[in-house]
Amino acid sequence: MAARKSVKKPNVSAEELTKHYREMLLIRRFEEKSGQLYGMGLIGGFCHLYIGQEAVVVGLEAAAEEGDKRVTSYRDHGHMLACGMDPDGVMAELTGREGGYSKGKGGSMHMFSKEKHFYGGHGIVGAQVPIGAGLAFADKYKGNGRVTFTYFGDGAANQGQVYETFNMAALWKLPVVFVIENNQYAMGTAQQRSTSSAEIWERGKAFGIPGEAVDGMNVLSVKEAGERAVAHCRSGDGPYILEVKTYRYRGHSMSDPAKYRTREEVQKMREERDPIEQVREMLLTGGHASEEDLKAIDKEIKEIVSKSAEFAKESPEPALDELWTDIYA
Ligand SMILES: Cc1ncc(C[n+]2csc(CCOP(=O)(O)OP(=O)(O)O)c2C)c(N)n1
Ligand SMILES: [Mg+2]
């Protein structure tokens, strides 16, 4: 067996590391399966995969408490799984079936769960940012101590509504964590071609909003930063910005061949920075788990994902009269 490169021993329990490993692996395998079902024609329309970015939501969910809220863009499957939504319901929505979270009428970008405080799933770039501030406004008004995680991309960070929201959130000291998931690309446009500042989080300074950049490929760094952000928001000091530096391995969506970057660039990231491999190494080198233990987890996750795919294939198409339900006009 090849010598394992030494990884700094982290100050976390085996239980916590294993939980992170399991949750990130669930997202990775779920997304791989979604890609397969898309290729088979069982999923149609837009489908944006989260592969490579798993440590962002898993780290931040580890910093969240029951009742905290989350809202994000169209790249949303990972967020749903990380906050505890049912993989069967998410996959069945992807295949447009009755058993899906939106009864098969919403698809990949339009799912919600009141129970898990997940407020979508938004296809309009940046639209979720003011919505996130609105959710935080409601919590501040009620005085319930809750925090809203508002996720958006590096591309969305160039939208005007983001800065209108920053202004109001700072002015009213809203308990909102703005999470910029900087995966380095907005569709086919690299960050340096579209964005004037290398450190996007620093834009918050203009509004008096503190923040920081975070290594988004390391789930423990994300969790630690998330805890700082949440503590700030819960103490009544207003919003906080986390610019989480991450990377998406797949194209922008299933229809993107990703010709704007080299295979080597993606390969290098996968080999040197992969978030799941990093935790795997920590578990093994720290003596927290054996190869057999990890194989058992892998098997368990594969079974959950296979079951969700079966459910998503077997669940019926929505009935025709469903066209007239859940409409607001
Ligand atoms: C208002 C608006 N403009 C343009 C688009 C088309 N569009 C969809 S995703 C996207 C790029 C967004 O990139 P980023 O915010 O970095 O998020 P990522 O896809 O990398 O997660 C664009 C321009 C859109 N959906 N909405
Ligand atoms: Mg991006």
Side-chain angles (χ1 to χ4, degrees), residues 48 53 73-75 123-126 152-157 159 161 181-187 248 252:
H48 309 83
Q53 300 183 214
S73 71
Y74 42 82
R75 199 178 298 288
I124 301 300
V125 169
F152 54 102
D154 45 294
Q159 269 234 357
Q161 60 184 324
E181 291 202 58
N182 184 351
N183 61 11
Q184 303 181 34
Y185 290 91
M187 298 187 84
R248 72 164 152 72
H252 168 72

Side-chain angles (χ1 to χ4, degrees), residues 113-296:
S113 167
K114 217 172 154 190
E115 183 202 352
K116 299 292 177 190
H117 310 284
F118 178 77
Y119 289 84
H122 294 268
I124 301 300
V125 169
Q128 73 276 22
V129 181
I131 292 172
L135 292 166
F137 182 89
D139 285 333
K140 173 137 185 157
Y141 185 76
K142 290 178 188 158
N144 61 14
R146 303 277 57 97
V147 164
T148 297
F149 292 86
T150 299
Y151 295 85
F152 54 102
D154 45 294
N158 290 322
Q159 269 234 357
Q161 60 184 324
V162 170
Y163 299 96
E164 293 179 44
T165 304
F166 279 5
N167 179 53
M168 285 184 177
L171 187 68
W172 294 334
K173 292 197 183 314
L174 302 182
V176 51
V177 183
F178 293 111
V179 184
I180 305 168
E181 291 202 58
N182 184 351
N183 61 11
Q184 303 181 34
Y185 290 91
M187 298 187 84
T189 308
Q191 186 196 343
Q192 61 272 20
R193 293 180 57 220
S194 66
T195 305
S196 62
S197 34
E199 297 295 318
I200 306 173
W201 69 271
E202 290 187 342
R203 293 176 176 178
K205 287 180 184 170
F207 302 87
I209 307 177
E212 59 186 286
V214 189
D215 175 0
M217 303 306 272
N218 182 328
V219 69
L220 299 178
S221 308
V222 176
K223 183 188 169 211
E224 265 179 44
E227 285 170 348
R228 276 190 293 279
V230 164
H232 177 90
C233 293
R234 270 199 236 290
S235 69
D237 289 339
Y240 197 92
I241 300 174
L242 294 176
E243 180 186 347
V244 191
K245 314 262 190 186
T246 180
Y247 196 77
R248 72 164 152 72
Y249 293 177
R250 297 289 183 95
H252 168 72
S253 69
M254 287 304 295
S255 55
D256 171 17
K259 296 228 169 87
Y260 43 84
R261 63 183 183 187
T262 62
R263 274 173 182 273
E264 290 69 35
E265 178 185 308
V266 183
Q267 199 53 27
K268 192 169 156 54
M269 194 60 87
R270 275 183 180 272
E271 279 167 14
E272 296 175 7
R273 309 271 315 281
D274 186 77
I276 301 178
E277 274 306 307
Q278 286 193 48
V279 173
R280 193 181 148 77
E281 286 296 322
M282 287 177 209
L283 281 164
L284 292 170
T285 52
H288 296 305
S290 65
E291 295 273 4
E292 282 65 42
D293 295 334
L294 297 184
K295 264 192 200 143

Side-chain angles (χ1 to χ4, degrees), residues 17-25 276 280 283 298:
L17 273 181
T18 310
K19 185 170 178 288
H20 296 329
Y21 180 75
R22 183 180 265 113
E23 291 175 352
M24 289 195 290
L25 199 64
I276 301 178
R280 193 181 148 77
L283 281 164
D298 294 0

